[in-house]
């Protein structure tokens, strides 16, 4: 497998709706334009997903705003890593087909969803990202809300443009931003959690594209620090043609260190220990699960079967210059997802 880095700015798609240059980059150097897609609106998938991993409070808050063509799926998850409990709740909107108005880049523009039950907004303010959410009926009307500020966005992110062999007009354009510092508050029921930007970090999964109908994916992400230096990773595989590039990156002090393939060795029981290893030895970890946030949505036409497992990584990560980073008890998640949509 090669790792072709895209370094010149140009449109993402050609006049036929096909990817011009499959590969990876450190920012959104290729320009996404929904109007250049040559598939029906029900096939277009767009989402902005944030996770906020609080090492100081040992919880993870996950927020999704998505427009999947057939369905708008807007959800909130609170994962209690001390007591191994979680609650996920979603608002389903039929056939939004672009009406969610997700912006064509993560760098500017606001993301907003609001109905009578839930409001979520992601906004830019200078170099910060402001995340607000209010869900009064969450978890038996305990309610959950947040007002979070993300700062210190690193220089590098992981961006990948992935085609599918079976459909030249299918593609996935994806950015993962790791290791943003999180401050602010999360209120869940009667508890108020203060986020500490010295220890609490966030990641963004920004996705735009046209997917084929039936796909598996494997994804793992972590954002934090080791010995006072920001450290994180993005690992993934399982869909599309990744001959041009994988999405496997180690982030250290804001810089992306790219490596090749990865394999998740998962027990049939998702809460047994996993091993996650690259063939070149640059990522070699044992993953110790805390909780499996499993979810199954079966709407016949749309089916999503998710196992997002939260836990701790232990092992080694090797940077481009050969430096080995020792990783101990690093909070993160790893998942296996099967989607038909």
């Amino acid at each position: 497998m090669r790792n072709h880095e895209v370094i010149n700015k140009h449109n993402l798609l050609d006049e036929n709706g096909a990817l011009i240059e499959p590969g990876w980059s450190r920012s959104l150097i290729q320009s996404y334009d929904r109007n250049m897609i040559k598939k029906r609106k029900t096939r277009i998938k767009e989402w902005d997903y944030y996770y906020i991993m609080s090492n100081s409070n040992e919880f993870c808050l996950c927020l999704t705003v998505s427009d999947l063509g057939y369905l708008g799926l807007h959800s909130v998850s609170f994962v209690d890593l001390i007591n191994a409990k979680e609650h996920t709740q979603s608002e389903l909107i039929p056939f939004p087909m672009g009406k969610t108005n997700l912006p064509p880049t993560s760098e500017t523009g606001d993301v907003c969803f609001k109905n009578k039950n839930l409001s979520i907004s992601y906004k830019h303010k200078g170099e910060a990202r402001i995340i607000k959410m209010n869900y009064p009926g969450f978890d038996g009307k305990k309610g959950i809300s947040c007002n979070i500020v993300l700062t210190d966005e690193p220089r590098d992110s992981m961006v990948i443009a992935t085609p599918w062999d079976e459909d030249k007009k299918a593609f996935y354009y994806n950015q993962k931003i790791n290791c943003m510092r999180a401050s602010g508050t999360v209120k869940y029921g009667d508890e108020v959690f203060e986020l500490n930007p010295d220890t609490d970090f966030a990641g963004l999964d920004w996705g735009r594209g046209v997917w084929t109908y039936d796909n598996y994916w494997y994804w793992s992400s972590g954002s934090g620090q080791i010995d006072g230096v920001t450290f994180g990773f993005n690992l993934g595989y399982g869909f599309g043609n990744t001959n041009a590039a994988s999405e496997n990156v180690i982030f250290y002090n804001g810089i992306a260190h790219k490596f090749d393939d990865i394999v998740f060795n998962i027990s049939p029981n998702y809460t047994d220990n996993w091993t996650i290893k690259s063939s070149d030895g640059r990522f070699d970890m044992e993953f110790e699960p805390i909780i499996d946030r499993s979810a199954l949505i079966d709407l016949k036409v749309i089916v999503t079967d998710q196992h997002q497992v939260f836990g701790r990584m232990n092992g080694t990560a090797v940077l481009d210059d050969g430096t080995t980073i020792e990783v101990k008890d690093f909070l993160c998640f790893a998942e296996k997802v099967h989607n038909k949509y």
Side-chain angles (χ1 to χ4, degrees):
M1 187 184 293
R2 296 180 296 115
N3 271 316
H4 171 66
E5 184 174 358
V6 179
I7 57 174
N8 296 314
K9 291 186 177 182
H10 55 75
N11 289 335
L12 179 70
L13 304 178
D14 65 19
E15 64 276 9
N16 298 314
L19 283 178
I20 293 173
E21 189 176 3
W24 80 283
S25 55
R26 299 170 192 269
S27 64
L28 292 171
I29 196 167
Q30 302 189 71
S31 298
Y32 170 79
D33 182 349
R34 182 185 173 97
N35 294 320
M36 295 185 73
I37 294 173
K38 304 300 183 183
K39 300 287 282 190
R40 64 184 187 274
K41 291 181 179 180
T42 53
R43 300 306 310 150
I44 302 174
K45 317 298 178 190
E46 301 179 324
W47 62 73
D48 285 42
Y49 168 91
Y50 282 93
Y51 70 85
I52 297 89
M53 187 72 74
S54 175
N55 288 279
S56 59
N57 298 286
E58 293 192 65
F59 72 78
C60 189
L61 177 68
C62 307
L63 305 173
T64 304
V65 175
S66 68
D67 187 324
L68 306 177
Y70 293 106
L71 184 73
L73 176 63
H74 313 286
S75 68
V76 176
S77 297
F78 186 92
V79 185
D80 177 348
L81 299 170
I82 297 175
N83 299 301
K85 296 180 179 179
E86 70 88 18
H87 184 75
T88 298
Q89 201 161 316
S90 303
E91 299 294 312
L92 305 180
I93 308 299
F95 296 101
M97 293 190 294
K99 295 177 184 177
T100 313
N101 293 317
L102 294 176
T105 175
S106 70
E107 296 169 359
T108 59
D110 297 335
V111 173
C112 298
F113 170 78
K114 185 175 183 179
N115 68 2
K116 64 180 182 180
N117 301 318
L118 168 65
S119 65
I120 301 178
S121 67
Y122 313 143
K123 296 185 177 182
H124 292 267
K125 186 176 182 180
E127 294 187 356
R129 295 170 184 262
I130 312 298
I131 297 177
K132 295 184 179 181
M133 175 271 297
N134 188 33
Y135 206 170
F138 186 82
D139 194 4
K141 298 187 178 180
K142 285 178 67 175
I144 191 168
S145 61
C146 74
N147 188 347
I148 297 170
V149 180
L150 305 184
T151 58
D152 292 3
E153 187 170 320
R155 188 198 77 175
D156 289 350
S157 61
M158 189 296 303
V159 178
I160 191 166
T162 304
W164 271 264
D165 289 337
E166 59 267 39
D167 187 342
K168 298 303 181 185
K169 296 177 182 178
F171 69 93
Y172 182 43
Y173 194 40
N174 178 224
Q175 181 183 39
K176 304 290 193 352
I177 303 175
N178 287 57
C179 301
M180 293 178 282
R181 294 186 183 272
S183 59
T185 58
V186 177
K187 186 175 187 295
Y188 183 19
D190 295 328
E191 290 189 88
V192 178
F193 301 96
E194 294 283 343
L195 295 171
N196 181 349
D198 291 333
T199 59
D200 299 342
F201 293 85
L204 168 64
D205 172 13
W206 180 94
R208 305 288 187 269
V210 173
W211 286 64
T212 56
Y213 179 65
D214 190 347
N215 288 280
Y216 284 86
W217 77 59
Y218 299 81
W219 179 37
S220 181
S221 184
S223 294
Q225 59 188 4
I226 293 175
D227 296 331
V229 179
T230 56
F231 171 85
F233 51 83
N234 182 80
L235 315 172
Y237 66 103
F239 59 86
N241 181 338
T242 54
N243 285 335
S246 73
E247 61 174 280
N248 300 314
V249 175
I250 299 162
F251 297 101
Y252 190 72
N253 200 23
I255 306 302
H257 298 257
K258 191 75 180 62
F259 65 100
D260 203 343
D261 63 319
I262 198 83
V263 173
F264 295 9
N265 296 300
I266 309 170
S267 167
N269 180 356
Y270 282 86
T271 53
D272 289 341
N273 285 8
W274 305 17
T275 58
I276 299 180
K277 296 184 178 183
S278 63
S279 60
D280 59 8
R282 291 189 58 189
F283 198 91
D284 189 348
M285 301 281 179
E286 185 167 20
F287 177 57
E288 300 177 356
I290 297 172
I291 182 173
D292 176 12
R293 190 192 71 79
S294 60
L296 175 63
I297 297 174
D298 187 350
L299 303 176
K300 305 309 177 188
V301 174
I302 296 174
V303 179
T304 178
D305 185 5
Q306 305 177 16
H307 289 272
Q308 184 183 32
V309 182
F310 292 80
R312 298 180 184 274
M313 287 284 195
N314 291 275
T316 57
V318 180
L319 307 184
D320 288 345
D321 65 1
T323 301
T324 298
I325 307 299
E326 298 287 340
V327 180
K328 296 180 180 178
D329 296 329
F330 192 84
L331 280 175
C332 60
F333 63 81
E335 69 179 34
K336 178 182 178 181
V337 175
H338 182 200
N339 279 334
K340 294 180 179 181
Y341 63 9

